[in-house]
Amino acid sequence: MTDDLERLANGVLWPGFFGTEAPAWLTSELRDGLAGVVYFGQNVGEGLPALSAEILAANPDALIGVDEEGGSVTRLESATGSTLPGAAQLGTLDDLVATERTGAELARRVRAVGANVVLGPVADVNTDPRNPVIGVRAFGSEEPLVTRHVIAAVDGIQDGAVAACIKHFPGHGDTHLDSHHALPEIALDIDEYERVHLAPFRAAVEAGVDSIMTAHIVVPAWGDQPATLNPRVLGMLREWGFEGVIITDALDMAAIRETVGIGGGAAQALAAGADLLCIGNPTNPGDDALPDQDERDFRAARDGIVAALRDGSLSRDRVEEAAARVAALARKLRVAAAMSEGVDEFDATDVVRRAISVVGDAPAAASALSVVDARRRSTLAVDSASAYVSATLADDGRRVRLDVAHTSVEEQDRVLDDAVSTEGTTVLLIDRPDADAAQRALVERAAVRDPHAVVVNVGLAARTALPLPTIEVGAASRLGAQMARERLVGAAG
């Protein structure tokens, strides 16, 4: 049985956990007031609705979040790839009805598995094309476009009796570092930063968004602490009139874990004004993850809060205020779910088909595809190198994975020669044509070998034209790959 301070701390903690069944420690803490859980890919299976029911039986007010954005980021379809448009595709199409309907379908899918919080949409304005963690997860690089699509997505999600959580405040779009591995610093002029990057968040607050996720980034003009731990930054949201839940990005990310630690980060985030602490995905350490990593990370966060309450560096009033906001959101969602009539399932095929474009000469219809998958490695946020993209694109044709960052040019050329000699059209699958010189060089060498080859780009659209016809997909998803294949073999089929 937890003591009084531990139970208080439980009300603001949001852990991940191992497996497709609730571990004993988790159900015990849920009965003692744990705010809820976050689902990641390793939790998803056929029994997910039953898992949600078990969690809600232990705590009927549990918030169950899913990091589900569509496009390149999915947890519910992590094994096979997303069948919904991604933000960049929706921004390219610029059809607000399509964006709102996509949000509604996200809500429908999340509710169908018993969850009630969508960790999205991304409200970042992706102004740095080198950005390794946002990119096609953003609606675009222009503030007005991002703002109108954020509002449409939030409306779609929240009309479905699910909370939206826009991210990553105050804006992660102008960085070339990944906060999963480092602590990015924004060097942009502060007036420009406020005008461009804060605007979608302010508009979402005015539109009634339920929750906002913080970013582990430093804006020097506002102090040397990352936004998640910075009372000046989080205080802006309250100054704007936001009364919803401020949720931290995962505390196990390097920007927090390797600086102040999970426990210190938990206490400091609460003191700064955060309400719900996402502890993170216990599989993130990879082979270094301990069998009880999930429980260890949870207890590290809670112990940090309890220690700060006991030594006075964190006030009880602040934690009670945070827990009250979390509880109020849970009650709101229960009422909304009871009143909701639900929505019809949404087939996004036509939306993604319309979002895809061909740059350069239209490629001839192919009878088969020989795919060279030269995308970057997966990150903790995005499964960039997911096999389902190349498998869907190639179908029963030849495909080979080529990590250009860690493979010699000689070996790359051998792979290209093999692909060109294979029956069918050679396809270069890439995701960073402007930011990765090795990917662009590979395309240039392929064009010399086979002028009839084609590029399929699932990342940000190339700003400088490539020497081969390019299908701009805008998402590393199964549906995007299906539509790219349709462009290449549709006529022949």
Side-chain angles (χ1 to χ4, degrees):
M1 187 74 176
T2 54
D3 67 19
D4 177 57
L5 293 183
E6 288 177 340
R7 185 176 178 84
L8 175 61
N10 272 2
V12 298
L13 291 174
W14 220 26
F17 60 96
F18 286 130
T20 56
E21 298 180 357
W25 71 264
L26 181 63
T27 53
S28 175
E29 299 299 344
L30 285 163
R31 287 191 291 270
D32 274 329
L34 182 63
V37 300
V38 183
Y39 287 153
F40 295 96
Q42 78 272 1
N43 305 123
V44 174
E46 292 183 0
L48 193 56
L51 174 61
S52 298
E54 182 181 1
I55 288 167
L56 291 169
N59 180 0
D61 285 327
L63 295 177
I64 303 177
V66 188
D67 196 9
E68 192 74 14
E69 299 173 13
S72 298
V73 176
T74 178
R75 304 295 177 246
L76 298 180
E77 298 182 288
S78 58
T80 56
S82 178
T83 54
L84 284 179
Q89 292 172 327
L90 292 166
T92 296
L93 194 58
D94 200 10
D95 178 343
L96 294 179
V97 173
T99 298
E100 185 170 359
R101 290 193 68 193
T102 298
E105 176 63 10
L106 281 169
R108 188 195 68 78
R109 294 184 182 192
V110 165
R111 280 193 65 193
V113 300
N116 52 18
V117 181
V118 171
L119 294 178
V122 168
D124 303 312
V125 183
N126 196 81
T127 51
D128 191 332
R130 301 169 298 170
N131 200 318
V133 69
I134 304 300
V136 295
R137 298 169 64 196
F139 290 108
S141 59
E142 301 293 331
E143 169 269 317
L145 181 142
V146 172
T147 296
R148 61 180 175 263
H149 283 275
V150 165
I151 292 172
V154 167
D155 286 346
I157 292 168
Q158 295 189 175
D159 284 349
V162 169
C165 177
I166 59 171
K167 56 191 182 184
H168 307 81
F169 184 78
H172 209 310
D174 194 79
T175 176
H176 62 278
L177 295 177
D178 184 346
S179 52
H180 291 84
H181 304 290
L183 181 57
E185 184 174 301
I186 302 296
L188 194 66
D189 174 78
I190 193 62
D191 291 337
E192 181 180 355
Y193 188 86
E194 291 180 350
R195 176 179 58 81
V196 173
H197 296 275
L198 294 185
F201 293 95
R202 186 189 291 267
V205 167
E206 293 173 355
V209 70
D210 282 328
S211 60
I212 298 175
M213 178 171 281
T214 67
H216 303 327
I217 58 172
V218 173
V219 180
W222 297 329
D224 58 5
Q225 292 176 298
T228 299
L229 312 181
N230 190 324
R232 180 174 179 182
V233 175
L234 300 190
M236 292 180 194
L237 293 172
R238 302 306 182 198
E239 291 168 7
W240 295 347
F242 180 60
E243 292 298 329
V245 176
I246 298 176
I247 302 175
T248 70
D249 207 344
L251 298 178
D252 68 331
M253 292 163 62
I256 301 297
R257 184 191 66 242
E258 295 180 6
T259 55
V260 297
I262 291 176
Q268 291 182 37
L270 282 167
D275 303 306
L276 183 59
L277 311 181
C278 176
I279 296 169
N281 185 347
T283 68
N284 282 344
D287 293 340
D288 293 332
L290 298 169
D292 60 345
Q293 191 71 50
D294 51 357
E295 185 177 4
R296 284 174 179 260
D297 289 350
F298 161 72
R299 295 196 183 283
R302 191 173 68 182
D303 289 349
I305 296 169
V306 170
L309 285 167
R310 285 178 173 152
D311 70 19
S313 57
L314 175 62
S315 75
R316 185 182 182 109
D317 287 348
R318 169 78 272 273
V319 183
E320 289 176 341
E321 175 191 50
R325 284 203 180 97
V326 173
L329 177 57
R331 289 192 298 271
K332 174 183 175 179
L333 294 175
R334 288 183 72 180
V335 171
M339 299 176 62
S340 175
E341 297 179 357
V343 296
D344 293 334
E345 188 171 349
F346 171 50
D347 182 357
T349 301
D350 182 61
V351 173
V352 173
R353 182 183 288 121
R354 289 189 288 136
I356 290 176
S357 62
V358 178
V359 178
D361 296 334
S367 58
L369 304 181
S370 178
V371 177
V372 178
D373 182 358
R375 294 172 296 158
R376 59 179 165 165
R377 291 182 174 183
S378 296
T379 69
L380 296 179
V382 185
D383 191 5
S384 308
S386 47
Y388 50 71
V389 176
S390 58
T392 300
L393 187 61
D395 195 21
D396 57 358
R398 182 180 184 275
R399 63 185 174 105
V400 61
R401 172 76 177 138
L402 180 59
D403 185 350
V404 292
H406 300 85
T407 307
S408 68
V409 171
E410 292 76 17
E411 176 63 16
Q412 293 176 34
D413 286 345
R414 185 192 66 75
V415 171
L416 285 177
D417 290 337
D418 288 346
V420 171
S421 66
T422 302
E423 182 180 355
T425 298
T426 303
V427 177
L428 286 301
L429 177 58
I430 64 171
D431 61 356
R432 290 175 70 79
D434 291 325
D436 189 328
Q439 283 189 10
R440 182 172 284 268
L442 183 76
V443 172
E444 291 170 350
R445 297 200 306 279
V448 172
R449 286 169 166 76
D450 182 1
H452 301 294
V454 179
V455 173
V456 172
N457 176 28
V458 296
L460 293 174
R463 296 186 299 173
T464 304
L466 295 165
L468 290 170
T470 302
I471 299 178
E472 296 287 3
V473 178
S477 66
R478 174 160 52 106
L479 183 54
Q482 287 171 343
M483 295 301 97
R485 180 174 174 82
E486 179 182 272
R487 289 291 181 99
L488 289 166
V489 306

